[in-house]
Amino acid sequence: MAGLTAAAVAAVAFLAYQASANAPADVSAEPRPTTSAPAAPATNGPQQPPKDPLAVPANSGSGARVVYALAERRVWLVDEKGQATHTFSVMPSTVHPVPGAYTVTSRSGSVRGSDGVQIEHVVRFTTVEDVAIGFSAAVDGSLPTPDPERKTGGIRMKRADGEAMWTFASIGAKVVVVA
């Protein structure tokens, strides 16, 4: 047992020697993290301000409408003055609407989605490849990535966002889909 202990002590001493041999003579010579903000990178032109999440896409029409940006996976609820009253991210379905203007054609308070999940605040606005496309919120609050092997049309949102959509988008409300 004494032999094992001696071997372990020798191994630790050797590793400590290696570590000290590779350390700088003055530890204070190492760069230290700073608390100031990093310098802004040099640019060749004017910088773009950060994008305002409430900024409604410019190519989305006018008046009261729901705007769904496919690439951004974001929805805006826009009032008559063209101001966003609510915006939120969504999880798109596997079947997508083409960019264009639509109207809300049907609504359901609570149903089972095409993926088998219990959903609420369903607001449908078109059909693509025989799949109804609309906004909804899962009752369990989940936002799973849809199975790419299944044709689904539910554009999922959080429950609170679903309530806002339900209140805003009645039958006949305008829905604008942008790329």
Side-chain angles (χ1 to χ4, degrees), residues 14 18 22 28 48 52-53 65-66 69 91-92 96 116 131 140 146:
F14 176 74
Q18 275 190 321
N22 291 324
S28 66
Q48 295 288 338
D52 178 5
R65 62 201 183 278
V66 175
M91 177 58 69
H96 308 290
V131 176
D140 67 6

Side-chain angles (χ1 to χ4, degrees), residues 76-142:
W76 291 262
L77 305 181
V78 183
D79 66 15
E80 302 81 24
K81 299 174 195 166
Q83 301 296 311
T85 60
H86 193 80
T87 184
F88 48 91
S89 59
V90 295
M91 177 58 69
S93 58
T94 59
V95 179
H96 308 290
V98 297
Y102 303 88
T103 58
V104 173
T105 56
S106 70
R107 296 171 15 125
S108 298
S110 180
V111 296
R112 186 159 306 279
S114 57
D115 59 358
V117 173
Q118 190 65 31
I119 56 176
E120 64 184 1
H121 301 120
V122 182
V123 176
R124 296 176 202 87
F125 61 92
T126 192
T127 301
V128 176
E129 300 175 22
D130 295 324
V131 176
I133 307 294
F135 303 103
S136 63
V139 172
D140 67 6
S142 65

Side-chain angles (χ1 to χ4, degrees), residues 67-70 72-76 87-93 135-136 143-144 154-158 161 165:
V67 177
Y68 173 36
L70 295 168
E72 291 185 51
R73 296 180 171 192
R74 179 161 289 279
V75 169
W76 291 262
T87 184
F88 48 91
S89 59
V90 295
M91 177 58 69
S93 58
F135 303 103
S136 63
L143 286 171
I155 303 159
R156 295 287 165 80
M157 60 195 80
K158 294 177 183 171
D161 298 326
M165 174 70 76

